[in-house]
Amino acid sequence: MKLLFIGDVVGKPGREGLAAAMPGLRAEHVPDLVVANGENAAGGVGITEETAKSIFDAGVDVITLGNHTYRHKDVYGYLDSEQRIIRPANFHERNPGRGHTIVEAAGMRVAVINLSGQMHLQVERNPFPAIDDLLSSLAGAADAFIVDFHAELTSEKVAMGWHLDGRVAAVLGTHTHVPTADFRVLPGGTAHIADVGMTGSRAGVIGVKREQALRAFQTQMPVRFDGADEDVWIMGVAVEIGDDGLARGIDQILLPVSS
Ligand SMILES: [Fe+2]
Ligand SMILES: [Fe+2]
């Protein structure tokens, strides 16, 4: 089974870049399952039903989220009703949405799980016991497990890779919007990368216009942020997963989107 996993799609430039890049990525990697993080899809922060649909229309099968999940109130009902969009499993159980979904890909039942780090991010539960409990409750329900670990610190992300090595097919980091170069298959058979990066403009500061981000850092005053839109790149990984539910290989994708 071939998984294509795409980092945080940021704003309209990210959504358009994703749609433009997908045919080429599909031809090159021939994915059976495409997962993209959509927490920045709507105006750079959060997601709406409309922006989620445009990501599905681009060829994405499952959308994962993160700390910006609940930015737009009118998406809450959609998070409850649409099975293919998930938010961190270690948010409060009664919050809108679900923490995992099970989809069929290449004849396998694949559980896609969204999990949030607890360092510098707000969660209801420590992600380490939370994922242990979730995997126990899903035992036998899926043939492979993929975890989007949406977290700030590389240390927490590397730790989660080791924590789940041999138990899931992939632990793929999102949230920082900056790709790391540590992609590999861990000894137990889990594909891991601390952060896959983002799908959006490299001309700014993790998606924001650079002059505005610079002014905020320089003056420490509130600054209105707009999305950067030039030099759009698509970033992610392609993971090959065997019938045993473990990874055979992982490749990094860092590509400028030609317009
Ligand atoms: Fe993000
Ligand atoms: Fe985030």
Side-chain angles (χ1 to χ4, degrees), residues 8 150-154 157 174-180 194-195 197 206:
D8 306 32
H150 195 81
E152 190 79 60
L153 300 189
T154 47
K157 291 158 141 177
T174 57
H175 174 69
T176 70
H177 295 196
V178 177
T180 54
D195 206 296
I206 64 169

Side-chain angles (χ1 to χ4, degrees), residues 10 58 69-70 77 89-90 105 112 122 136 142 148 150 158 176 189 205 223 230 247 253:
V10 183
T69 296
Y70 299 123
N90 53 332
V112 184
Q122 201 174 344
S136 303
D148 171 348
H150 195 81
V158 171
T176 70
V205 175
V223 174
E230 293 156 31
I253 295 164

Side-chain angles (χ1 to χ4, degrees), residues 82-136:
E82 175 53 74
Q83 303 276 335
R84 298 174 299 159
I85 184 166
I86 57 175
R87 49 79 169 164
N90 53 332
F91 282 1
H92 201 289
E93 202 180 359
R94 287 195 294 274
N95 284 9
R98 73 207 76 232
H100 73 276
T101 191
I102 297 173
V103 293
E104 186 103 4
M108 293 176 85
R109 297 166 303 163
V110 183
V112 184
I113 298 168
N114 198 186
L115 193 67
S116 172
Q118 64 181 340
M119 308 303 290
H120 305 311
L121 290 171
Q122 201 174 344
V123 291
E124 200 244 345
R125 258 199 101 186
N126 181 320
F128 290 85
I131 189 67
D132 290 344
D133 287 351
L134 182 55
L135 289 175
S136 303

